[in-house]
């Protein structure tokens, strides 16, 4: 079976990224698939708490500081079959600001982990480290909640991802002078991504095509967490539609996870949610989401859709 | 779809396929209205109020055109001249090791072409 790296991210804190990551991991492990969960929220790790596991060593910090030679050695067994966890480090302060070469080493080792499923639980915000972890994974899942702050930060996170994708390609093709031009245009208004591509197509069609194709290969998924009614479910669909139209990104809406009082209760009891609430609507939504993602992976492996360029 | 909002065609505005049934158009219309209604959370932080008004007007226009079969036919013909339509499903499906042709038309060999020409002009 192919190896899959899942990244669970999003712009705003408290939307349930760790909840989704932990319960997705528990669900996949219950299907007899080997899973390694990585708490890649370097600044504020707490995935172990959602799994009801006490802090222990080794952890991600031990790998980053060289105390353990390989990332796999930092993966500790959990009480759940097929599920291992690489805990975030609470002892090493400022570990969130890891050096570039360390980040590359970590990304390389994540790709080399000998397991079918690697799930990255990412931190809040749009720092380069978070974005690079998100972009290195496939599928990348953005978790939002039906609140204006979360929606606003979701758009900001996606815009940052787009900028990062384009910048990586610009660096690769040595067209760095375009980057500042792009930033200036994008900051003006929401339609400026179109404006940037339009002007690029007029000045340099080859690079325009390369960058637009690069953008179309970025296909994030969206999950609306803590949905209380039908409007919240539909909001996710609207957000994905707006992203497709305004940010030119092919976003897939995976569905909504209903709000459940048992989630905070399970957290207070330091117990994972999924094993004790398998038939709850939230658990069903997570199962459905993982099935959808299986299709989504097929989707991403397909040839990108036909691109219609404006006439230069 | 690299277009300005003003250039989206009616089907893109309602997020439906060009082959959509009347029910699908109705559903797309309701969904688009919910997305671009006043105070919609989905637009928060991304879409300006002036843009929203413009899109809402175009959504109404799109629905009025697409729900009327005669107007829709006329619009489709005009649209086809500018943008040819390719159905979303490719005639291939993925199988275990190779791509299998599922709904593709039969392959035309040189011999079949000669036979067809012969049938036309014996």
């Amino acid at each position: 079976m192919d190896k899959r790296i899942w990244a669970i991210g999003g712009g705003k804190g408290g939307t349930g990224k760790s909840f989704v990551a932990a319960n997705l991991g528990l669900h996949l492990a219950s299907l007899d698939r080997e899973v390694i969960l990585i708490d890649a929220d370097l600044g504020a790790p707490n995935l172990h708490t959602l799994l009801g596991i006490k802090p222990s060593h080794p952890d991600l910090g031990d790998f980053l500081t060289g105390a353990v030679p390989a990332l796999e050695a930092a993966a500790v067994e959990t009480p759940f079959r097929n599920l291992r966890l690489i805990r975030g480090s609470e002892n090493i302060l400022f570990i969130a600001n890891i050096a570039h070469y360390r980040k590359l080493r970590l990304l390389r080792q994540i790709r080399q982990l000998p397991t079918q499923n690697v799930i990255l639980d990412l931190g809040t915000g749009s720092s380069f480290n978070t974005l690079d972890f998100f972009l290195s994974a496939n599928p990348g899942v953005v978790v939002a909640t039906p609140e204006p702050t979360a929606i606003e930060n979701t758009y900001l996170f996606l815009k940052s991802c787009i900028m990062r994708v384009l910048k990586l390609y610009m660096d690769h093709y040595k067209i760095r002078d375009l980057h500042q031009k792009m930033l200036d245009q994008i900051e003006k208004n929401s339609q400026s991504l179109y404006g940037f591509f339009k002007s690029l197509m007029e000045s340099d069609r080859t690079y325009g095509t390369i960058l637009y194709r690069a953008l179309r290969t970025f296909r994030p998924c969206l999950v609306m967490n803590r949905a209380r009614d039908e409007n919240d479910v539909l909001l996710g669909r609207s957000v994905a539609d707006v992203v497709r139209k305004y940010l030119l990104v092919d976003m897939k809406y995976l569905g909504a996870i209903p709000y459940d009082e048992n989630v905070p209760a399970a957290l207070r009891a330091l117990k994972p949610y999924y094993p004790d609430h398998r038939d709850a609507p939230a658990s069903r939504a997570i199962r459905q989401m993982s099935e959808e993602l299986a299709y989504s992976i097929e989707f991403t492996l397909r040839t990108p859709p036909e691109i219609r360029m404006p006439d230069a | 779809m690299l277009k300005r909002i003003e250039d989206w065609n009616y089907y893109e505005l309602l997020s439906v396929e060009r082959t959509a049934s009347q029910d699908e158009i109705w559903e797309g219309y309701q969904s688009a209205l919910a997305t671009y209604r006043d105070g919609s959370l989905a637009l928060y932080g991304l879409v300006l109020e002036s843009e929203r008004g413009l899109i809402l007007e175009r959504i109404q226009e799109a629905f009025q055109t697409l729900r009327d079969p005669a107007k829709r036919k006329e619009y489709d013909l005009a649209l086809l001249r500018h943008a040819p339509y390719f159905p979303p499903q490719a005639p291939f499906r993925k199988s275990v090791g190779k791509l299998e042709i599922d709904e593709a038309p039969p392959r035309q060999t040189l011999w079949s072409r000669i036979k067809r020409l012969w049938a036309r002009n014996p």
Side-chain angles (χ1 to χ4, degrees), chain A residues 88-106:
Chain A
S89 178
E90 288 169 337
N91 302 331
I92 305 166
L93 295 174
F94 309 119
I95 201 169
N97 308 311
I98 50 170
H100 185 66
Y101 74 95
R102 282 188 169 161
K103 178 175 69 184
L104 292 183
R105 184 166 162 254
L106 178 56

Side-chain angles (χ1 to χ4, degrees), chain A residues 37-111:
Chain A
L37 271 169
I38 303 178
D39 198 343
D41 190 348
L42 301 173
N46 53 19
L47 192 58
H48 56 279
T49 311
L50 273 108
L51 291 167
I53 297 169
K54 295 268 186 306
S56 62
H57 281 274
D59 60 23
L60 193 59
D62 293 327
F63 167 72
L64 290 172
T65 54
V68 290
L71 185 62
E72 199 196 353
V76 292
E77 293 292 336
T78 65
F80 312 99
R81 207 161 68 89
N82 297 323
L83 183 70
R84 285 186 288 166
L85 172 69
I86 299 178
R87 281 190 50 248
S89 178
E90 288 169 337
N91 302 331
I92 305 166
L93 295 174
F94 309 119
I95 201 169
N97 308 311
I98 50 170
H100 185 66
Y101 74 95
R102 282 188 169 161
K103 178 175 69 184
L104 292 183
R105 184 166 162 254
L106 178 56
L107 285 169
R108 202 166 46 240
Q109 294 246 345
I110 287 172
R111 280 197 287 271

